[in-house]
Amino acid sequence: MHHVIDSDSEDELPSGWEEKSTEDGNVYYVNSCNKKIQWTHPRTGRKKVIPKDLPFGWTKMTDEDGKAVYEHKETGNTTLVDPRLAFAQEEKKHINDFRQRFDSSSTAYQILHGVDLSGKYALITGCNAGIGYETAKSLARHGCNVLLANRNMEATKKAIEQIVKETNVSEDNLKAIHLDLMSLNSVKKCALAVKAVFSDHLDMLILNAGIFGHAYEETEDKIDKTIQVNHLSHMYLALLLEPLLKKNSRVVFVSSESHRMANLKNVFVNQNLSSPKEWFSAMIAYNNSKLYNVITAKVLSEEWKDKGILVNSLHPGNMVSTNLSKSWWLYDLLFFLVRPFTKSLQQAAATTVYVATAAELEGVTGLYFNNCFYCEESTLARDKEIRNEVISISLKMVQQRMGVDDIQPYLDKYCCSKS
């Protein structure tokens, strides 16, 4: 079992106090010295509630005396203490009122300790290796039905086999679907196929795929591949899958701290979000695409707030050892040299898994996360005029290639287009 240690001393009970729970999920406190009982924490003065269901892997029994006994299936350990207490949440004063429980060293498995995702449905892009693979494996390990959306179907099949081998989950919980982010037509076909597989709802849409360090190269849609793969195709996919997103569905854009080094000089000239070829820089294209991720998440969070769809973006970690660096031997060497000082893949997947599943983030939308806690985005990401310009150009780029049927409401709002 993985145990997450809460080092926040404010949450520790004073000597003589004990935390207990009622069957309906309310937490109360008992003072063993004076037998006093109260509903608020003796130190924080706040109320707590616990999940209705037992944590993942626990069952409840009754002993000979009629007392409740809790057993962990995997370890066989039993306890008289309700394991739900370990996952008690303070009542919030406002939506973004939550404390940091994890940090840069936390793993995706630790984030999910005790979390039951049975009956949940997630789609992850770019997940046959690297951070996306760890994200898919972690969610599947806790009962989630995962749809792996990738370009290489053979590699995806092997990834599914490996997840089954590593976690002993049923292969029925894992499905592969073709998605080539260098083709808007492929994105549309993928969305139609997803609607057929997950006809009812999608709980998590994790837009993880990305490329880095590529020279200027146009896709079949005549768009620079870095901008299309990292940004435009993901935005289009999110818009197409909106009908499957319900209240409390979570959309996660995997961005990067590199968005802070974006340079928008000349990118609006040709109305395609990329610098002209003669001024093109692979690094700037990557940084800009990550800024567009943050911007898109911010805009969609506002668009879908009334529907209860939660949209956030995040940074997974610096120079994590993945296939991202394979575009040039020098990048590969650099990533290799810094590997001992960077996050493991499990640690790099932690923030994605946290944003996609954490109970305290219910209702939380429009934020940017790093090391499993929110922080302020770059100045460019907060600039409303730049946000509107990026979204307007993005929508026009899709309209020119795919028509208006699926994105008309957004075109009307951001582009003043009725055509």
Side-chain angles (χ1 to χ4, degrees), residues 231-232 235 268 271-273 295-296 299 384-400 407 410-411 413-417:
H231 160 60
L232 194 67
M235 184 203 76
F268 297 148
Q271 294 287 292
N272 67 2
L273 297 181
I295 285 174
T296 304
V299 170
K384 287 190 175 181
E385 287 188 12
I386 289 176
R387 292 210 306 251
N388 286 341
E389 185 76 4
V390 167
I391 294 300
S392 173
I393 293 175
S394 299
L395 291 167
K396 288 176 183 176
M397 290 170 72
V398 174
Q399 176 193 20
Q400 290 163 5
I407 59 171
Y410 301 97
L411 287 164
K413 180 171 182 179
Y414 292 96
C415 308
C416 299
S417 171

Side-chain angles (χ1 to χ4, degrees), residues 261-410:
M261 294 176 279
N263 184 341
L264 298 181
K265 183 180 180 181
N266 300 318
V267 302
F268 297 148
V269 174
N270 295 334
Q271 294 287 292
N272 67 2
L273 297 181
S274 178
S275 301
K277 189 175 181 179
E278 59 269 25
W279 293 323
F280 183 83
S281 159
M283 187 63 74
I284 290 177
Y286 177 78
N287 296 344
N288 287 358
S289 71
K290 296 291 103 178
L291 171 66
Y292 303 154
N293 288 158
V294 178
I295 285 174
T296 304
K298 201 81 173 175
V299 170
L300 292 184
S301 74
E302 295 167 357
E303 285 294 322
W304 296 342
K305 193 170 186 178
D306 290 344
K307 299 178 183 179
I309 301 170
L310 312 177
V311 191
N312 295 291
S313 59
L314 63 93
H315 170 64
N318 295 317
M319 301 183 74
V320 179
S321 181
T322 68
N323 289 332
L324 198 64
S325 62
K326 303 300 181 185
S327 59
W328 188 27
W329 69 267
L330 189 58
Y331 290 141
D332 220 9
L333 176 62
L334 183 58
F335 274 62
F336 174 78
L337 292 174
V338 301
R339 184 181 299 178
F341 313 102
T342 61
K343 291 182 178 182
S344 68
L345 290 176
Q346 257 292 307
Q347 290 170 329
T351 303
T352 301
V353 168
Y354 176 75
V355 175
T357 66
E360 65 262 34
L361 299 188
E362 185 173 332
V364 173
T365 191
L367 298 185
Y368 171 75
F369 289 78
N370 186 3
N371 293 328
C372 300
F373 202 63
Y374 66 91
C375 56
E376 193 170 57
E377 315 91 335
S378 69
T379 303
L380 290 176
R382 298 195 306 274
D383 188 308
K384 287 190 175 181
E385 287 188 12
I386 289 176
R387 292 210 306 251
N388 286 341
E389 185 76 4
V390 167
I391 294 300
S392 173
I393 293 175
S394 299
L395 291 167
K396 288 176 183 176
M397 290 170 72
V398 174
Q399 176 193 20
Q400 290 163 5
R401 295 157 178 86
M402 304 300 294
V404 301
D405 291 347
D406 302 301
I407 59 171
Q408 185 67 68
Y410 301 97

